[in-house]
Amino acid sequence: MEIRRATTVADLLAAEHLYDGPPREDWAARFLASPGHLMLIAYAEDGVPAGFVSGIEMLHPDKGAEMCLYELSVDESHRRRGIGRALTEALLAEARERGCYGAWVGVDTDNTPALATYRSAGSVDEGVFAMHGWPLAGDEVRG
């Protein structure tokens, strides 16, 4: 397995089978052009993307920079082989290189596989929190 940073729209589109829904070229281009956004892709021996982790570097005037692990996905046929942990650790290494003071991820408390992956990569449970959202666009924008 090899982990590489996605640098082209083609890299992002090649990982389509790992996303929750179909990617769009314009969103992929915007993702790559956005400062602080990154995606690391794990490639299987045959060169096909086996998993990815995306991160967003967040900066605040009184806190400095931290990394948000936005999404982690591993193809079902490649799970339980350490790919998720390796991707998480690669994102943490990138965060250290960028000078981030910390990293975080929001995860459902009943997502046992994700919790095990993050713990295996050294995460610490920082407690329960509530997440609130504001839907700002309808389905016609997303799809």
Side-chain angles (χ1 to χ4, degrees):
M1 177 194 62
E2 179 184 7
I3 296 176
R4 296 191 311 259
R5 183 173 179 173
T7 58
T8 67
V9 169
D11 290 340
L12 296 177
L13 298 181
E16 177 176 10
H17 64 284
L18 300 169
Y19 300 141
D20 295 329
R24 286 185 14 186
E25 285 189 40
D26 58 330
W27 290 346
R30 186 172 169 192
F31 178 91
L32 291 172
S34 296
H37 286 61
L38 72 146
M39 183 176 293
L40 305 173
I41 300 176
Y43 293 89
E45 296 76 28
D46 60 4
V48 173
F52 77 84
V53 65
S54 60
I56 301 172
E57 181 181 348
M58 302 168 66
L59 186 62
H60 199 271
D62 69 334
K63 294 175 183 66
E66 65 181 333
M67 183 65 68
C68 167
L69 188 160
Y70 187 78
E71 190 166 352
L72 174 68
S73 177
V74 177
D75 185 81
E76 195 168 328
S77 66
H78 290 90
R79 291 181 184 165
R80 304 199 52 79
R81 299 182 191 180
I83 294 172
R85 183 181 67 219
L87 284 163
T88 301
E89 290 172 344
L91 181 68
L92 296 173
E94 179 71 28
R96 284 185 195 93
E97 287 178 27
R98 292 170 176 238
C100 293
Y101 70 86
W104 64 277
V105 62
V107 61
D108 291 329
T109 57
D110 64 349
N111 188 339
T112 304
L115 291 168
T117 297
Y118 300 140
R119 284 187 191 112
S120 74
S123 73
V124 178
D125 186 344
E126 294 185 352
V128 178
F129 72 96
M131 185 167 135
H132 296 255
W134 292 266
L136 300 176
D139 288 341
E140 68 281 355
V141 174
R142 302 198 93 221

